[in-house]
């Protein structure tokens, strides 16, 4: 996902505000507006590299209640002037420091001119790293403790496009370990080891699913390959509609990526087969139910978009879909 402001600051600001409309209220600050945002989906983590100027964001109590996002953001200030208010008025987050923000709590930020690398992570990821998420909203990790995690986040912002799907779970596990080191003063609860084990099991299963999406997948096949029992599979994926729901969701994500790739000239039937759907009609029915458009319509929409407004709307839709994946 990518958004870049272009030549008309007033129009660009409105487009940027629309892009963020599902998650925050955007306001302009003194000075010229500028925004460049690039996003990547990892495993349980969305990574955003943002260069911002003259803009602020707010999640009010009403917005928190309305959108019901349940994830955290881990925000590294790589450079510039960036201020955050998590309940006690604005405070400057110095470059090199990391701030943790709970999306179930109100917050505000102001970017006078800053580069901020943000990892949006599921609550499960934070629990796997730290055992408990209590008291983390607004917590600032000092530069000396954040060094390894900060370096890793900067590296991911450069290398994310080169990471293969099968390697994403390992990348996310490394993020969890480095976050544990960075926030080392957090007292791990007695359930932390169990949460980490559960997370490792889930990611092992997801990795197997990701690398075998174009084949027949059942609970028995997955369990035999990963060593996770059928009962455990259904328990750890119950919130996602069971392991079958996970398989379907990942096939839809791969399908959506293929449809959005202008260099992919395969027919819809070939894409359906490559993504593991039973047939083109089966693929179309599930895709329409998930995204309110047929695969063909979605593909045409992406490839015919020419104006910045059309591209921004497509970016907003992708953004919303990504955030829904981790919430």
């Amino acid at each position: 996902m990518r958004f870049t402001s272009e030549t008309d600051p007033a129009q660009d600001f409105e487009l940027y505000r629309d892009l963020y409309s599902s998650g925050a209220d955007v306001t302009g600050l003194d000075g010229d507006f500028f925004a460049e945002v690039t996003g990547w989906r990892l495993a349980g983590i969305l990574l955003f590299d943002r260069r911002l100027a003259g803009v602020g964001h707010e999640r009010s109590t009403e917005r928190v209640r309305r959108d019901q996002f349940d994830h955290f953001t881990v925000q590294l200030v790589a450079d510039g002037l960036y201020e955050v208010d998590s309940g006690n008025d604005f405070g400057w987050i110095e470059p090199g420091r990391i701030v943790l923000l709970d999306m179930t709590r109100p917050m505000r930020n102001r970017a006078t001119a800053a580069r901020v690398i943000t990892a949006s992570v599921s609550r499960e990821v934070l629990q796997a790293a730290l055992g408990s998420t209590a008291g983390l909203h607004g917590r600032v990790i000092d530069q000396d403790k954040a060094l390894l995690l900060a370096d890793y986040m900067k590296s991911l912002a450069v290398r994310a496009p080169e990471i293969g799907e099968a390697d994403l779970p390992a990348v996310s596990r490394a993020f969890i370990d480095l976050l544990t080191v960075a926030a080392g003063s957090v007292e791990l609860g007695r359930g932390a080891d169990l949460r980490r084990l559960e997370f490792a099991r889930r990611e092992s299963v997801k990795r197997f699913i990701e690398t075998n999406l174009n084949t027949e997948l059942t609970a028995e096949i997955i369990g035999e390959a990963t060593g996770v029992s059928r009962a455990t599979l259904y328990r750890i994926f119950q919130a996602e509609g069971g392991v079958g729901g996970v398989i379907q969701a990942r096939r839809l994500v791969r399908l959506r990526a293929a449809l959005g790739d202008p260099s992919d000239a395969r027919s819809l039937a070939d894409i359906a087969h490559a993504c593991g759907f039973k047939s083109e009609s089966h693929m179309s029915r599930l895709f329409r139910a998930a995204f309110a458009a047929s695969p063909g319509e979605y593909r045409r929409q992406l490839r015919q978009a020419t104006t910045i407004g059309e591209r921004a709307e497509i970016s907003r839709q992708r953004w919303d879909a990504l955030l829904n994946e981790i919430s």
Side-chain angles (χ1 to χ4, degrees):
M1 194 283 297
R2 186 176 181 84
F3 174 91
T4 304
S5 55
E6 296 187 351
T7 57
D8 186 334
Q11 182 187 44
D12 291 344
F13 178 79
E14 291 302 319
L15 293 172
Y16 180 81
R17 183 160 62 181
D18 289 344
L19 176 66
Y20 269 83
S21 61
S22 64
D25 296 316
V26 175
T27 56
L29 306 179
D30 293 338
D32 293 334
F33 165 76
F34 174 80
E36 182 179 81
V37 183
T38 307
W40 303 271
R41 180 187 61 78
L42 306 178
I45 300 172
L46 305 180
L47 185 72
F48 297 99
D49 190 356
R50 302 183 292 163
R51 289 172 171 82
L52 305 170
V55 65
H57 309 79
E58 179 177 2
R59 283 180 57 77
S60 64
T61 301
E62 169 59 25
R63 178 170 286 279
V64 167
R65 183 197 61 79
R66 186 170 67 246
D67 64 37
Q68 296 185 339
F69 287 157
D70 191 36
H71 59 279
F72 272 76
T73 62
V74 181
Q75 300 189 8
L76 164 67
V77 181
D79 191 25
L81 180 58
Y82 188 68
E83 299 170 283
V84 171
D85 173 16
S86 59
N88 298 307
D89 208 356
F90 283 103
W92 178 39
I93 310 299
E94 298 177 16
R97 303 179 87 185
I98 290 174
V99 58
L100 307 179
L101 295 170
D102 186 341
M103 292 295 101
T104 67
R105 304 278 298 278
M107 71 90 194
R108 297 183 295 168
N109 64 46
R110 297 190 300 216
T112 301
R115 180 190 177 200
V116 182
I117 301 174
T118 298
S120 294
V121 302
S122 65
R123 192 167 296 270
E124 176 194 33
V125 168
L126 261 292
Q127 290 174 335
L130 306 177
S132 171
T133 58
L136 291 182
H137 182 56
R139 178 185 175 140
V140 178
I141 302 174
D142 290 336
Q143 186 174 5
D144 59 340
K145 296 179 180 178
L147 281 174
L148 289 175
L149 179 59
D151 286 347
Y152 189 62
M153 292 175 71
K154 290 177 183 177
S155 179
L156 285 179
V158 175
R159 301 299 182 188
E162 305 168 14
I163 302 172
E165 287 281 353
D167 296 323
L168 292 179
V171 169
S172 295
R173 286 195 295 273
F175 179 91
I176 289 173
D177 289 338
L178 292 175
L179 179 58
T180 304
V181 173
S185 61
V186 175
E187 183 178 353
L188 300 182
R190 288 182 295 177
D193 289 342
L194 176 59
R195 289 191 178 101
R196 185 164 294 203
L197 175 60
E198 295 263 293
F199 183 84
R201 284 173 170 169
R202 286 169 56 86
E203 292 310 307
S204 174
V205 171
K206 286 182 176 180
R207 183 172 185 172
F208 178 79
I209 289 172
E210 200 68 49
T211 55
N212 293 276
L213 275 178
N214 62 339
T215 67
E216 179 185 4
L217 289 172
T218 64
E220 290 76 15
I221 291 173
I222 294 170
E224 183 176 348
T226 62
V228 180
S229 71
R230 183 187 182 99
T232 300
L233 279 176
Y234 281 106
R235 176 173 56 79
I236 62 179
F237 290 110
Q238 183 177 8
E240 299 174 62
V243 69
V246 173
I247 295 168
Q248 179 176 302
R250 298 313 307 159
R251 283 176 172 154
L252 287 171
V253 167
R254 181 171 292 186
L255 169 60
R256 189 177 62 203
L259 296 174
D261 183 356
S263 66
D264 193 333
R266 291 177 296 174
S267 68
L268 292 179
D270 286 343
I271 293 176
H273 176 73
C275 293
F277 293 100
K278 297 176 182 177
S279 64
E280 182 179 347
S281 61
H282 179 237
M283 171 190 74
S284 297
R285 183 170 66 255
L286 294 177
F287 190 87
R288 182 180 287 278
F291 303 111
S294 72
E297 291 168 346
Y298 183 82
R299 188 184 225 180
R300 285 192 297 273
Q301 178 191 21
L302 290 179
R303 298 188 180 186
Q304 291 174 359
T306 56
T307 69
I308 185 174
E310 290 172 333
R311 294 197 299 272
E313 173 59 20
I314 291 169
S315 292
R316 186 190 65 77
Q317 292 173 2
R318 289 176 174 172
W319 188 304
D320 291 351
L322 287 172
L323 289 176
N324 286 334
E325 283 185 38
I326 64 167
S327 293

